[in-house]
Amino acid sequence: MIQITLPDGSIKAFEQNVTPMDVAKSISEGLARNVISASYNGTTIETVTPLTTDGSLVLYTWNNDEGKKAFWHSSAHVLAQAIEELYPGAKLTIGPAIDNGFYYDVDFGDQTISDKDFKTIETKMLEIARGKHTFNMRSISKAEALETYKDNEYKTELIENLEDGTITFCDHSTFTDLCRGGHIPNTGIIKAAKVLSVAGAYWRGDENKPQLTRVYGITFPKQKELTEYLHLLEEAKKRDHRKLGKELELFTFSAKVGQGLPLWLPKGAELRERLENFLKKAQKKAGYEMVVTPHIGQKELYVTSGHYAKYGEDSFQPITTPKEGEEFLLKPMNCPHHCEIYNSMQWSYKDLPKRFAEFGTVYRYEQSGELHGLTRVRGFTQDDAHIFCTPDQLDDEFKKVIDLVLYVFGSLGFENFTAQVSLRDPENPEKYIGSDENWEKAEKAILNATIEKGLDYVVETGEAAFYGPKLDFMVKDALGRQWQLGTIQVDYNLPERFELTYKGSDNETHRPVMIHRAPFGSMERFIAILLEHTGGNFPLWLMPDQAIILSISEKYEKYAEKVLNLLENHEIRALVDNRNETIGKKIREAEMKKIPYMIIIGENEEQENKISVRQHGGEDLGSISIEDFAKIVETETNKTLKQF
């Protein structure tokens, strides 16, 4: 007999070689019908894997992320089989599950694939799925594996890097693939399939290696779920920040300036400025002091901080000067500069905490294939701040930062979020700097503050920054997509590396603790996510143009200018459309530009000294005075812009 521990803590005895599916059946037939994957002692296994030792078992269904991963990983095998049958001679490489679906990288040789072929591939996938083929894992020697793939240099390269005795194949139907495991019981669970797109991808992400074709797909256990997902994709296309950014005239890119380097247009620059001022006002109340640091620093600065060792080879290369041996780097992070600002003076415990904040632009050389609009760029501005405090102040300071992040989310309409406590991976200590003692103190501080603030949180092992654990906020947008927004990190290590000190009440020298925080994260990425979350309908206080004045004819231009001046006196951002176009066309174009209020003026409005107001979306507020309209705007602004 073996003892199996279930997620609720209960322990049950089973005969040796019992399978996860057997365990599910012992709990309920309903659970057994829905179980599609499992893990044992933290390792993903099949539902038919025999269990031979005591351990902890977790059963996964489609409703679990792990279940979806197994479902989509298995579907990648089905896609690969379909491609192999439809494109003889194509060489398969790798095909992992991703956040939404899966992909398979393929060398099609002289053959080509386009969206015209998607339906044929989907039909073949469903034909294979209907066969209800089981996924069977088997071990194979390295020599046999190399012989199997002797005509596929990609699989050969993968196998050559594996140890004999650790290599497994997965078989289903007539198809075999090199695989580590983690599959659904059989292909019949796959009821709906869609090939989403194809793209170029370098083998193993290396620009110096062959370019392959990446085929993206997604599958579901019900056709209805695929239909809903495709509808969501259409909505996402409408909300694509690259499309909206162009329509709303916020930002652009230039091939001459360089990939991943956004150019902010006047309306976008104003939007950024309003966001910055919004946070600066809250930071000032919270005791932050603004600082400014240069865009470059000596290489030695980032060697000291550890950033060069972690990112130097994959980032922008050093800038040399006429002076021999002198090298500078484009700033990859603001924190080393802030450490040196702290080091410019001698501090007492009475001076702490010191809170230095900066909207600092940093530079990272992202691979061209990874760049995406504003969400992945090479130059971006962080709403960075670093708090230097005593160990006794750490808990209180951390909770104050949480309050600031929640204020930002509340004022910008992000209400659905989870806190993620990111800890180090104890199995890979080489990924991190600093002592075990400091890491334990930092991790404990984050967990305590998170619990005390009553946040809904999850713990993710292995997701910490290289210098310390962190609290990330995982926000769901209007379409249910999850984004990481806002981060707080506790750091005992950089203060040691930069030899930061303060004089304590005992008149002895002590080391401060450092908190890194960025509620927005980066201005570029935050604005991109906000654009997609709101569909361009920003909170009223943030809108570039809050109102547009539409005159019915040229006769009312003077009254339009008068209305504009009065609105500006009420600090309402407005503009006038005096073009010789129909009022219908002006309204349609104002709707497309997402302007919250359309003020229509003609003869009646001029005579009565009023304005007719129409809201974005079509609601007519009727004919009102400018003062009443100003009150409407003020009320709406106060409703969305929270007080800190």
Side-chain angles (χ1 to χ4, degrees):
M1 301 291 285
I2 60 172
Q3 303 293 315
I4 295 180
T5 304
L6 299 174
D8 63 0
S10 62
I11 300 174
K12 291 189 175 185
F14 291 91
E15 293 287 341
Q16 204 171 41
N17 293 319
V18 67
T19 68
M21 186 59 75
D22 293 331
V23 176
K25 287 177 180 176
S26 76
I27 298 171
S28 78
E29 286 297 326
L31 176 61
R33 283 195 298 272
N34 290 302
V35 166
I36 58 176
S37 181
S39 70
Y40 202 59
N41 292 331
T43 300
T44 300
I45 57 173
E46 322 299 310
T47 59
V48 294
T49 301
L51 307 178
T52 59
T53 61
D54 294 348
S56 298
L57 176 68
V58 183
L59 301 169
Y60 301 127
T61 70
W62 169 255
N63 295 322
N64 305 117
D65 288 342
E66 295 86 352
K68 287 185 174 69
K69 182 178 180 181
F71 191 94
W72 286 329
H73 171 64
S74 305
S75 299
H77 283 288
V78 177
L79 170 64
Q81 182 184 359
I83 288 172
E84 192 172 74
E85 292 182 13
L86 293 169
Y87 299 88
K91 294 178 180 178
L92 301 172
T93 66
I94 57 171
I98 53 178
D99 288 344
N100 285 295
F102 51 90
Y103 68 77
Y104 216 108
D105 285 348
V106 184
D107 183 346
F108 281 95
D110 295 332
Q111 303 175 90
T112 58
I113 181 174
S114 71
D115 54 3
K116 295 177 183 177
D117 304 306
F118 290 179
K119 186 64 179 175
T120 303
I121 297 172
E122 293 160 11
T123 301
K124 176 60 74 172
M125 288 179 69
L126 292 176
E127 177 188 313
I128 294 166
R130 282 192 291 270
K132 296 184 179 180
H133 307 291
T134 57
F135 292 90
N136 302 301
M137 297 295 296
R138 60 185 167 95
S139 296
I140 190 168
S141 70
K142 189 168 186 175
E144 288 176 290
L146 289 170
E147 177 62 24
T148 301
Y149 286 111
K150 63 184 179 183
D151 296 323
N152 184 326
E153 62 271 30
Y154 307 103
K155 296 286 192 185
T156 298
E157 182 179 326
L158 294 174
I159 294 165
E160 284 174 343
N161 292 320
L162 299 176
E163 294 294 325
D164 207 346
T166 66
I167 302 169
T168 51
F169 279 6
C170 178
D171 304 318
H172 81 271
S173 181
T174 59
F175 181 77
T176 295
D177 205 356
L178 175 68
C179 183
R180 291 177 179 168
H183 303 94
I184 57 179
N186 66 76
T187 61
I189 299 171
I190 301 167
K191 301 293 187 184
K194 185 71 177 176
V195 178
L196 297 171
S197 62
V198 292
Y202 291 106
W203 170 233
R204 309 196 88 171
D206 188 336
E207 293 180 357
N208 299 312
K209 292 187 176 180
Q211 188 170 52
L212 308 170
T213 299
R214 178 166 293 178
V215 184
Y216 287 96
I218 196 164
T219 51
F220 291 90
K222 294 179 182 177
Q223 178 61 43
K224 178 186 175 185
E225 291 175 318
L226 174 58
T227 302
E228 291 172 349
Y229 178 76
L230 294 177
H231 174 71
L232 191 69
L233 281 186
E234 287 304 311
E235 285 298 307
K237 285 180 184 177
K238 295 176 188 175
R239 292 168 177 257
D240 189 316
H241 75 276
R242 295 166 299 178
K243 173 178 174 287
L244 290 173
K246 184 176 182 179
E247 291 174 357
L248 301 179
E249 300 174 359
L250 299 178
F251 60 87
T252 188
F253 288 91
S254 162
K256 289 184 179 178
V257 173
Q259 284 186 303
L261 300 170
L263 301 171
W264 290 91
L265 305 178
K267 289 180 189 283
E270 290 176 11
L271 177 74
R272 281 178 58 123
E273 184 178 22
R274 272 189 289 279
L275 280 170
E276 286 186 14
N277 290 339
F278 155 73
L279 187 55
K280 282 178 181 177
K281 184 177 178 182
Q283 287 179 162
K284 188 172 183 179
K285 285 184 179 180
Y288 288 82
E289 300 171 283
M290 295 302 296
V291 297
V292 178
T293 62
H295 290 247
I296 64 173
Q298 286 202 94
K299 176 182 171 182
E300 192 58 38
L301 177 70
Y302 309 112
V303 170
T304 300
S305 69
H307 289 99
Y308 186 76
K310 289 290 178 182
Y311 306 119
E313 289 184 5
D314 299 321
S315 197
F316 289 100
Q317 293 306 294
I319 304 164
T320 58
T321 72
K323 183 178 178 181
E324 187 177 349
E326 188 174 54
E327 292 182 311
F328 287 81
L329 288 177
L330 288 171
K331 178 170 62 173
M333 294 287 266
N334 297 301
C335 34
H337 296 249
H338 290 191
C339 286
E340 286 302 289
I341 288 176
Y342 180 91
N343 247 347
S344 66
M345 295 179 65
Q346 178 60 54
W347 305 102
S348 158
Y349 72 97
K350 295 179 181 179
D351 301 316
L352 302 185
K354 296 302 295 181
R355 308 180 186 96
F356 297 138
E358 175 181 17
F359 286 87
T361 302
V362 298
Y363 303 89
R364 316 262 179 86
Y365 187 78
E366 302 286 356
Q367 295 294 323
S368 59
E370 299 293 325
L371 298 174
H372 182 80
L374 294 180
T375 59
R376 201 73 178 265
V377 290
R378 288 174 172 166
F380 54 95
T381 302
Q382 293 179 310
D383 59 319
D384 228 345
H386 297 92
I387 301 167
F388 302 89
C389 63
T390 69
D392 291 341
Q393 294 168 334
L394 176 60
D395 184 64
D396 190 49
E397 286 300 309
F398 199 93
K399 286 186 283 191
K400 286 178 181 177
V401 176
I402 291 176
D403 289 337
L404 181 61
V405 172
L406 298 184
Y407 163 68
V408 169
F409 288 176
S411 293
L412 290 160
F414 290 111
E415 298 173 354
N416 189 355
F417 61 87
T418 302
Q420 177 179 300
V421 179
S422 299
L423 308 179
R424 62 185 165 159
D425 180 359
E427 302 297 322
N428 293 289
E430 70 280 356
K431 290 170 57 178
Y432 311 98
I433 61 174
S435 68
D436 288 342
E437 180 187 2
N438 284 345
W439 272 91
E440 287 166 8
K441 286 191 288 187
E443 290 175 341
K444 184 178 178 182
I446 286 184
L447 280 166
N448 286 346
T450 303
I451 293 167
E452 285 182 39
K453 296 303 293 185
L455 297 179
D456 179 19
Y457 75 96
V458 295
V459 175
E460 291 291 342
T461 302
E463 294 297 316
F466 74 91
Y467 49 78
K470 57 182 180 172
L471 179 65
D472 292 325
F473 291 84
M474 313 305 290
V475 176
K476 280 193 175 179
D477 68 12
L479 297 181
R481 299 170 301 180
Q482 186 163 274
W483 304 88
Q484 186 267 312
L485 277 182
T487 186
I488 318 172
Q489 302 165 7
V490 176
D491 185 358
Y492 282 84
N493 295 310
L494 284 187
E496 285 190 1
R497 284 177 166 253
F498 281 92
E499 299 181 348
L500 308 184
T501 63
Y502 68 91
K503 189 162 285 188
S505 58
D506 57 1
N507 218 31
E508 296 294 325
T509 298
H510 299 273
R511 191 82 70 205
V513 185
M514 190 173 175
I515 299 175
H516 306 244
R517 52 109 282 206
F520 292 147
S522 89
M523 298 298 293
E524 287 72 13
R525 187 169 178 274
F526 188 87
I527 289 172
I529 294 167
L530 186 61
L531 259 173
E532 298 199 3
H533 176 58
T534 62
N537 297 304
F538 296 118
L540 185 61
W541 64 269
L542 190 57
M543 287 296 295
D545 298 310
Q546 295 171 315
I548 185 168
I549 303 164
L550 311 175
S551 55
I552 289 176
S553 76
E554 295 177 0
K555 291 191 294 183
Y556 309 108
E557 284 185 10
K558 286 187 178 179
Y559 185 58
E561 290 298 327
K562 177 184 175 183
V563 170
L564 178 65
N565 290 333
L566 290 171
L567 292 178
E568 288 175 346
N569 290 341
H570 287 284
E571 297 185 347
I572 295 171
R573 296 183 293 278
L575 68 160
V576 176
D577 184 352
N578 273 332
R579 294 175 302 152
N580 186 24
E581 298 286 357
T582 65
I583 193 67
K585 183 174 181 180
K586 290 180 180 181
I587 289 173
R588 284 193 300 275
E589 292 182 0
E591 285 280 353
M592 288 178 64
K593 291 179 179 178
K594 318 284 186 184
I595 299 175
Y597 295 102
M598 283 151 271
I599 296 172
I600 301 163
I601 57 173
E603 183 177 358
N604 291 339
E605 287 76 21
E606 185 178 40
Q607 288 178 352
E608 297 175 10
N609 201 31
K610 290 187 174 182
I611 55 177
S612 289
V613 181
R614 174 191 172 101
Q615 270 190 306
H616 174 63
E619 185 180 351
D620 192 347
L621 302 185
S623 180
I624 58 177
S625 68
I626 292 174
E627 288 71 24
D628 285 343
F629 175 65
K631 288 176 184 176
I632 290 172
V633 172
E634 182 181 7
T635 300
E636 178 64 21
T637 298
N638 291 338
K639 186 169 70 177
T640 56
L641 183 57
K642 313 296 181 185
Q643 294 300 311
F644 182 69

